[in-house]
Amino acid sequence: MINRIKQLIKTGEKINVEFKLAQGGLPKNIYETVCSFLNTKGGEIILGVDDKRNVVGLPSDNIDKYKKEFSTGINNPTKLFPTVYLNMEEYTISNKKILYINIPEGSQVYKCNNKYYLRNYEGDYDITHNPTLVSNLYLRKDSSYSENKVYPYLSMEDLNQSVINKARIKAVNRIPKHPWENLNNLDLLKSASLYRKDPITKQDGFTLACVLLFGKDEIIHNIVPHYRTDLIVRIENEDRYDDRDTVDTNLIDSFDRIMQFVEKHFSSPFYLEGNIRIDIRNKIFREIAVNTLMHREYTMHDFARFIVEKDKIIMENANKPYIFGNLKPNNFRPYTKNPTIAKVFKEIGFAEELGSGVRNIMKYSKQYFGSEPIFNDDFLFTTTITNLKKDFYQKIKISNQVSEQTENNKLTKNKSTKEKILDAIRENPKITKKELSLKLNISISGIDKNIKQLRQDGIIKRLGANKNGSWQIIK
């Protein structure tokens, strides 16, 4: 990434690249630039570089202040509406600190301080008082992003309230005092841009993104009848399959189903990153699962497939191509196909910053599979992994074989919360309460209650400070 940023600086500012000196603090017009990039074709902002392409750098002791102020600003609906979720990434060039922001094209029309902006070669262009340009902007956004389609006759009864509550819990566990915590279900959906006005019919309603994320199964099948994800293992029985699952429920439960299928068939080898053990299997496959659910074109009739065969692993889904052809590190630029769905995935912890999925898959695949994946951006987006390690399929657990791990999985389902917490501590003594909450899908207050009881019973104790300490199992 640092090489890409250096190349951007060398090339200079253009319609989708903006430099900001930012010596006296976060520039006030940065939100106008964010808004114009969102409304146009996306772009990149670099703080700490002047108009003449000189890397001036930013005050090191103010970096966190810049990040916090920017995060607050883009989540303030009076400043930027709808709110967005973007990251400032810190880099060092010639011993000078800079901040980089990648801004994808938005699926909606955005306003900064109640004004509309577009991007042109002269900078950020205020179109608020040009009704024709504003109208064209709305029409272009709605035709470009199918997830924005409004269904005015749907009601809250057509949505799965328990899945909405599940998303709320995940968001609050990830970020304490998350804005969703005290919103009712309808206001939560509105805040996530899942309920909006159709600019043509002027009718309010839930969007396709809302249906896919939170719709009851029968509603999803009625609106998107071709939607499903086929999960297939075909190693021993090559003519048919060894195991298969057809997933056609809401996207949040679909993610869990895909990961359960992965955990059923792929082992998690011991892997250290530094001195911390990580689940390299889940690192790879959660990104593959997120990518196929988050970046799919749901109006196309091709369903997604995840196929495990003797000589390769393939994941494919319908797609609106952006690059056409194989993605490579030097030609890859993140592009969100469904920004509203992506925003929800990020809030609940399924996804990280834009582009992290491809980077994580590339980073860990060599270690896990023995080869790097090939990403092909076409009307079917395909991830293909070949040249697998010779012993790779010794890690596969075919469903019709009763393995020790399968039996352990059955036992785990019957374990109490306290036993599950102890298992997690054995695996990672430094695990935090927040990580336990996400791992076990239990609220933080529930984790606190069980840990308190375990400590009172003399089963565990805490070593060191709350932030950097660890747990010890006494008996």
Side-chain angles (χ1 to χ4, degrees):
M1 191 64 200
I2 191 67
N3 291 331
R4 172 175 172 74
I5 293 174
K6 288 179 179 179
Q7 185 60 41
L8 290 174
I9 295 171
K10 181 179 179 180
T11 304
E13 289 185 311
K14 48 188 176 180
I15 192 169
N16 61 347
V17 177
E18 174 86 5
F19 301 153
K20 294 188 182 293
L21 195 56
Q23 292 297 294
L26 203 62
K28 292 183 179 180
N29 65 354
I30 191 170
Y31 303 107
E32 296 174 5
T33 304
V34 170
C35 181
S36 67
F37 280 154
L38 287 165
N39 283 338
T40 314
K41 293 294 183 181
E44 296 160 282
I45 300 175
I46 304 175
L47 303 183
V49 179
D50 66 19
D51 294 339
K52 297 181 179 179
R53 298 178 285 181
N54 298 312
V55 179
V56 179
L58 301 170
S60 297
D61 54 350
N62 281 346
I63 295 294
D64 289 340
K65 181 180 177 182
Y66 282 106
K67 291 181 178 179
K68 184 176 180 180
E69 185 179 342
F70 181 72
S71 178
T72 301
I74 60 174
N75 284 282
N76 180 355
T78 63
K79 187 176 292 291
L80 187 69
F81 184 82
T83 56
V84 295
Y85 304 93
L86 301 170
N87 284 332
M88 274 187 166
E89 298 178 44
E90 178 184 340
Y91 294 96
T92 301
I93 297 178
S94 302
N95 296 320
K96 295 175 182 178
K97 298 285 186 181
I98 64 161
L99 287 169
Y100 167 83
I101 311 163
N102 181 69
I103 303 157
E105 180 180 356
S107 66
Q108 303 174 71
V109 174
Y110 290 81
K111 293 189 286 186
C112 176
N113 296 322
N114 213 31
K115 294 182 178 179
Y116 300 94
Y117 288 89
L118 285 178
R119 184 74 177 176
N120 62 20
Y121 284 98
E122 297 177 358
D124 309 315
Y125 177 39
D126 182 358
I127 64 168
T128 307
H129 301 295
N130 190 324
T132 301
L133 289 179
V134 173
S135 177
N136 287 341
L137 176 59
Y138 274 101
L139 290 172
R140 179 170 63 82
K141 290 293 184 181
D142 269 44
S143 63
S144 298
Y145 292 92
S146 57
E147 67 169 0
N148 284 340
K149 184 176 180 180
V150 173
Y151 295 88
Y153 301 111
L154 293 180
S155 69
M156 287 295 291
E157 294 180 357
D158 296 312
L159 305 179
N160 191 325
Q161 307 302 310
S162 65
V163 179
I164 300 175
N165 291 329
K166 180 179 179 179
R168 178 188 285 107
I169 291 171
K170 286 182 177 292
V172 173
N173 286 346
R174 193 178 72 86
I175 303 177
K177 297 183 179 180
H178 191 281
W180 289 359
E181 183 173 15
N182 298 315
L183 295 178
N184 63 42
N185 285 356
L186 179 58
D187 287 340
L188 184 155
L189 298 175
K190 288 180 177 179
S191 74
S193 304
L194 298 170
Y195 185 94
R196 63 196 297 266
K197 184 188 289 287
D198 189 310
I200 298 176
T201 66
K202 306 301 181 185
Q203 291 181 298
D204 294 330
F206 296 108
T207 64
L208 176 60
C210 183
V211 171
L212 290 164
L213 285 161
F214 300 118
K216 292 180 177 177
D217 287 356
E218 60 269 24
I219 300 299
I220 296 174
H221 300 160
N222 287 338
I223 291 177
V224 199
H226 48 273
Y227 159 64
R228 80 171 194 255
T229 304
D230 259 0
L231 311 175
I232 299 171
V233 173
R234 188 186 292 133
I235 297 174
E236 294 181 354
N237 189 341
E238 297 181 55
D239 295 329
R240 201 161 181 237
Y241 51 80
D242 302 308
D243 192 19
R244 181 176 184 176
D245 188 12
T246 299
V247 182
D248 56 0
T249 189
N250 65 79
L251 298 185
I252 293 173
D253 287 340
S254 289
F255 173 83
D256 291 339
R257 286 266 294 277
I258 294 172
M259 292 308 297
Q260 288 165 11
F261 191 82
V262 166
E263 290 166 8
K264 179 180 180 183
H265 291 292
F266 293 85
S267 67
S268 179
F270 184 81
Y271 181 82
L272 287 176
E273 193 164 75
N275 60 354
I276 299 174
R277 181 182 178 182
I278 65 170
D279 190 334
I280 189 173
R281 172 198 61 191
N282 282 11
K283 276 280 189 181
I284 295 169
F285 285 107
R286 68 177 281 115
E287 301 293 2
I288 291 176
V290 165
N291 283 346
T292 194
L293 295 173
M294 192 167 73
H295 298 303
R296 188 185 309 184
E297 178 46 55
Y298 288 96
T299 60
M300 296 174 68
H301 288 197
D302 294 281
F303 52 86
R305 298 174 182 86
F306 175 38
I307 304 173
V308 180
E309 296 183 341
K310 275 189 173 181
D311 57 345
K312 61 180 176 290
I313 298 170
I314 302 170
M315 192 80 190
E316 61 184 20
N317 58 268
N319 176 53
K320 279 187 177 179
Y322 182 59
I323 292 177
F324 284 99
N326 291 345
L327 299 184
K328 299 177 182 178
N330 61 352
N331 76 344
F332 170 67
R333 184 180 172 217
Y335 174 69
T336 307
K337 310 296 172 62
N338 296 299
T340 304
I341 293 174
K343 181 168 69 173
V344 173
F345 270 32
K346 185 173 180 183
E347 287 307 291
I348 63 179
F350 283 2
E352 299 175 16
E353 74 271 11
L354 187 64
S356 65
V358 169
R359 291 197 296 269
N360 280 336
I361 296 170
M362 293 289 288
K363 178 179 178 181
Y364 296 110
S365 286
K366 190 79 172 177
Q367 176 69 29
Y368 190 75
F369 298 111
S371 63
E372 292 182 348
I374 298 172
F375 301 98
N376 186 263
D377 189 20
D378 211 315
F379 290 105
L380 277 180
F381 186 94
T382 307
T383 302
T384 307
I385 304 165
T386 57
N387 300 319
L388 306 175
K389 288 181 177 179
K390 289 182 179 179
D391 64 343
F392 180 76
Y393 283 121
Q394 293 176 19
K395 302 175 184 178
I396 287 281
K397 297 184 287 292
I398 302 301
S399 63
N400 56 15
Q401 298 174 344
V402 180
S403 67
E404 179 183 351
Q405 182 64 41
T406 303
E407 293 302 316
N408 287 340
N409 287 343
K410 292 177 182 176
L411 291 171
T412 298
K413 290 180 181 178
N414 297 321
K415 286 185 176 180
S416 69
T417 299
K418 293 185 182 66
E419 289 172 322
K420 292 177 182 178
I421 289 174
L422 290 173
D423 285 345
I425 289 174
R426 290 187 188 99
E427 184 178 330
N428 176 15
K430 292 188 176 182
I431 193 167
T432 65
K433 292 179 181 179
K434 180 179 176 181
E435 289 169 339
L436 281 168
S437 175
L438 292 172
K439 183 179 181 71
L440 304 182
N441 198 23
I442 299 171
S443 68
I444 288 181
S445 62
I447 295 295
D448 278 331
K449 179 181 177 181
N450 282 277
I451 283 182
K452 182 179 179 181
Q453 189 64 52
L454 287 168
R455 296 178 81 169
Q456 288 176 349
D457 293 344
I459 296 173
I460 63 172
K461 69 177 182 179
R462 185 71 179 173
L463 303 176
N466 287 335
K467 185 175 182 181
N468 299 315
S470 61
W471 298 102
Q472 182 181 10
I473 298 175
I474 303 171
K475 62 179 182 180

